[in-house]
Amino acid sequence: MRNLRLTFWGLAALVTMLWLLADLSIFRSSGFFAIRSAAVQYSGALAIACMSVAMMLAIRPRWPEHGLGGLDKMYRLHKWLGIAALVTAIAHWLWAKGPKWAVGWGWLERPSRGPQPPASNPVEALFASLRHTAEGLGEWAFYAVVALIAVALIQRIPYRFFYRTHRLLALAYLVLVFHAVILTTFSYWLSPYGLTLAALLACGTGAAILILSRRAGRDRQVPGRIAAIHHYPGVRALETIVDMGRVARPPTRPVRLCRVGPGRRAASLYHRVRLARG
């Protein structure tokens, strides 16, 4: 658990530090709309970073297993990152939409911007021309992400429905990658923050493509046989022993038993737990 917490909070701290260093003028911001602009960028950075790492963990890579303590700990971190992405995405949406509602209701007055000089960089000009498209697509992708993460978190929803719909998060993520690339402040991209964000988006995009093509974890599948199942009603737990025979290279670190709750958790046993050899 200690490594999980360090990884989770370390990611948040890294994104925060790099984002602050990318634009030190943030500390000199004054006025509500200047603070709102910074809050939109920061909350969006946290949300897409959490989603990117969660997407990478979803393909079940081998390299983080040892440090995190096994596949089940990877799934736990995946869940934490999903919840963090949901919370920060909602905050991002509220910062983006809330002031517009307040202006429409007459509670705030939008400051006058004046004419904007045309962008000298052709890439920046292209991004500016796609801004409204990225905003619209990102908003609808946000609604889809909220619904799909809610399906993942609400245990009363049948596992079969969760399993069939959870993959759609990869598609929504790709739309949000486009949203993030276009709407991230252009000057950030050549900073350490921008390069780190680009790496996260690239890795997350690769993982999302693997998920959508149903190739995630394919090289780690091995045949197994359920050797024994024991139900403990007093603690609402299920012990399942899986015999994998003589597997030369087990897909995960071996453990002796697995305990899961009833209902949807039990139905997702093969998807969530580490398997025991022999």
Side-chain angles (χ1 to χ4, degrees), residues 160-174:
R160 185 184 300 273
F161 183 76
F162 155 77
Y163 179 74
R164 289 178 175 176
T165 59
H166 202 57
R167 186 178 288 108
L168 296 176
L169 272 170
L171 184 60
Y173 170 78
L174 293 177

Side-chain angles (χ1 to χ4, degrees), residues 39-272:
V40 168
Q41 287 287 324
Y42 176 58
S43 57
L46 285 177
I48 199 65
C50 288
M51 284 197 71
S52 297
V53 178
M55 200 63 58
M56 286 184 268
L57 293 178
I59 64 174
R60 303 187 290 281
R62 185 180 293 273
W63 59 267
E65 262 191 45
H66 179 73
L68 294 176
L71 184 60
D72 58 330
K73 299 300 191 299
M74 282 174 54
Y75 274 119
R76 180 170 295 186
L77 179 59
H78 173 83
K79 179 180 178 179
W80 288 3
L81 290 169
I83 294 172
L86 175 64
V87 172
T88 51
I90 291 174
H92 177 75
W93 178 75
L94 288 174
W95 274 110
K97 304 292 286 187
K100 295 180 181 179
W101 297 336
V103 169
W105 297 333
W107 296 356
L108 288 174
E109 183 176 351
R110 187 187 300 274
S112 177
R113 293 183 179 181
Q116 297 293 320
S120 57
N121 188 307
V123 178
E124 185 178 3
L126 174 63
F127 284 11
S129 68
L130 294 172
R131 183 177 185 87
H132 292 298
T133 302
E135 288 176 346
L137 291 176
E139 183 176 354
W140 284 106
F142 161 75
Y143 297 143
V145 165
V146 170
L148 291 169
I149 294 181
V151 168
L153 295 176
I154 299 173
Q155 292 294 325
R156 290 185 177 274
I157 296 177
Y159 175 76
R160 185 184 300 273
F161 183 76
F162 155 77
Y163 179 74
R164 289 178 175 176
T165 59
H166 202 57
R167 186 178 288 108
L168 296 176
L169 272 170
L171 184 60
Y173 170 78
L174 293 177
V175 176
L176 291 174
V177 167
F178 171 72
H179 174 85
V181 168
I182 298 301
L183 296 180
T184 295
T185 301
F186 189 76
S187 61
Y188 290 174
W189 286 113
L190 293 180
S191 68
Y193 163 72
L195 297 176
T196 302
L197 179 60
L200 287 174
L201 295 178
C203 293
T205 297
I209 293 172
L210 287 177
I211 292 169
L212 291 172
S213 60
R214 299 177 181 267
R215 288 187 292 160
R218 179 175 294 180
D219 60 338
R220 302 185 61 184
Q221 294 179 358
V222 295
R225 180 181 63 86
I226 296 178
I229 297 178
H230 304 289
H231 181 226
Y232 301 95
V235 292
R236 302 180 64 194
L238 185 71
E239 176 187 357
T240 303
I241 300 175
V242 179
D243 181 6
M244 290 164 36
R246 295 184 177 274
V247 179
R249 186 182 182 189
T252 59
R253 191 181 72 179
V255 293
R256 181 59 56 186
L257 58 85
C258 310
R259 294 175 58 187
V260 296
R264 182 171 124 184
R265 291 183 185 272
S268 62
L269 177 68
Y270 73 96
H271 183 69
R272 288 174 172 265

